[in-house]
Amino acid sequence: MSSSPSIPRTPSDLCHHPLVQAPMAGGASGPRLAAAVSEAGGLGFLAAGYKTTGGMYQEVKEIRALTSRPFGVNLFMPQTRAADPSAVEVYRQQLAGEATWYESELGDPETGWDDGYEAKLAILRDDPVAVVSFTFGCPTPEVLASFREVGTYTVVTVTTVDEAQAAARAGADALCVQGIEAGGHQGTHRDDPAADGSAVGLLTLLALVRQAVDLPLIATGGLMRGSQIAAVLAAGASAAQLGTAFLVCPESGAHPLHKQALTNPLFARTELTRAFTGRPARGLVNRFLREHGPYAPSAYPEVNHLTSPVRKAAAAAGDAQGMALWAGQGHRLARALPAAELVDALVAEIAEAGERFVRPEESR
């Protein structure tokens, strides 16, 4: 009987540089971007969230045609029915004006809760990729073990020490430690409205998780420069994951208005909001977020399904004020470079920061 394929010890064993391109659902993290990052020596990621099973499979084939280097696929964990239907209906009524303005329809909040999870698992076990990561929860030990058997490295996104310990017990190979600075959704395992605003900054969370579990850690949240990456590596991370930094690359599939907004002075800050999806997610503050954020219920994915047609209509109309402009706290530092050039720039900045750390200036 043949033995199982060997599993890398740390995420950095999969790539030349300790740089991971975040899987950004919604179209930004497609084959072109992921392949470009992997070819440049980082670890590119496809985002399977919101995609059909067939769509995910097609993108895996596309990236394999673009690179022979390792890459990852991110999956959303299935969600349970926990929202109050009456709260979702009230929010639907509040959004009626948005649908009228954009000449659109509101979506069906009952579209689904599992994002094709089981079917996607089956495909990725039958045709393995180098890495599979999970967001919005932790898979069962059996699922994680099944990927180990086919040689796939597994990563679970965590936002607290408790989540980190649960993922370690389940058998994850590594953890993606997400600080509150991160753009897009907070990858919490349980959506608890009472915990809104209690998330921890990346460096503090990294230290807490490192003390609690003995697993390789990927640090993510607001990282835009090599000096920041050097800091999290010095703090014990095996690699750094960047999303917003890659969002403006020409290979990114993000909408042009989204890319432009990241450095537009009109969008001066970010906030965590439930306005677009019903789960806390960090985005640029625009009209939609200001008007609807205070009233959005804790209802994911129902609210995401509800607002999806309106957000698409706003994008088609060229109106960034009605779009979900996901962005980390460091968005103003975005550089519109090709992905390979951005990787090279970040690697040079890491080296420069290392030089300053080990050989500080003698004169003051």
Side-chain angles (χ1 to χ4, degrees), residues 31-359:
R32 286 186 63 227
L33 178 61
V37 172
S38 289
E39 281 290 300
L43 181 65
F45 251 96
L46 295 175
Y50 306 141
K51 289 187 174 68
T52 64
T53 303
M56 180 198 76
Y57 181 60
Q58 182 61 37
E59 289 202 345
V60 169
K61 290 200 300 183
E62 288 178 23
I63 191 174
R64 282 181 170 146
L66 296 171
T67 182
S68 60
R69 297 193 178 186
F71 63 91
V73 175
N74 175 258
L75 301 179
F76 284 172
M77 293 296 296
Q79 303 298 296
T80 58
R81 284 177 175 263
D84 178 359
S86 63
V88 176
E89 178 56 30
V90 169
Y91 196 53
R92 168 190 279 278
Q93 295 173 13
Q94 180 180 334
L95 295 175
E98 297 286 347
T100 300
W101 178 256
Y102 290 114
E103 299 181 340
S104 175
E105 299 288 337
L106 292 172
D108 179 4
E110 302 292 317
T111 299
W113 282 262
D114 69 354
D115 201 50
Y117 178 71
E118 292 293 342
K120 290 173 181 176
L121 289 180
I123 287 176
L124 294 172
R125 283 190 293 243
D126 289 344
D127 191 8
V129 298
V131 188
V132 172
S133 68
F134 300 87
T135 301
F136 300 152
C138 181
T140 64
E142 292 75 18
V143 166
L144 294 171
S146 71
F147 278 111
R148 177 172 287 275
E149 289 174 2
V150 297
T152 294
Y153 194 79
T154 56
V155 180
V156 174
T157 302
V158 301
T159 62
T160 67
V161 170
D162 286 347
E163 292 174 357
Q165 292 173 325
R169 289 193 298 269
D173 292 315
L175 306 177
C176 181
V177 180
Q178 184 192 46
I180 194 172
E181 305 94 335
H185 284 102
Q186 291 284 295
T188 52
H189 291 193
R190 187 171 69 91
D191 184 14
D192 180 7
D196 283 1
S198 65
V200 179
L202 177 57
L203 284 175
T204 298
L205 182 60
L206 194 60
L208 291 169
V209 171
R210 189 182 181 206
Q211 179 176 276
V213 301
D214 185 22
L215 284 177
L217 307 178
I218 301 171
T220 191
L223 304 177
M224 301 291 290
R225 292 287 189 266
S227 57
Q228 295 171 295
I229 296 169
V232 297
L233 296 177
S238 296
Q241 178 173 286
L242 288 70
T244 305
F246 285 106
L247 197 61
V248 294
C249 293
E251 298 93 340
S252 160
H255 194 283
L257 288 176
H258 192 171
K259 294 182 180 184
Q260 294 164 13
L262 293 174
T263 54
N264 185 340
L266 180 64
F267 302 99
R269 60 189 179 89
T270 64
E271 280 186 11
L272 287 171
T273 184
R274 294 178 181 272
F276 299 102
T277 70
R279 241 185 186 269
R282 184 174 296 283
L284 299 174
V285 176
N286 62 1
R287 179 195 58 78
F288 193 106
L289 189 155
R290 286 193 301 270
E291 292 183 2
H292 301 295
Y295 311 104
S298 171
Y300 177 89
E302 294 97 324
V303 170
N304 182 64
H305 298 323
L306 194 64
T307 66
S308 178
V310 170
R311 289 181 277 135
K312 291 177 181 176
D319 185 5
Q321 295 294 339
M323 298 168 59
L325 303 172
W326 304 135
Q329 287 184 342
H331 64 95
R332 297 299 293 275
L333 297 172
R335 295 174 282 191
L337 298 172
E341 291 184 23
L342 180 56
V343 170
D344 290 344
L346 292 168
V347 170
E349 290 165 0
I350 294 170
E352 181 183 354
E355 285 283 314
R356 292 199 304 268
F357 179 74
V358 299
R359 292 194 296 174

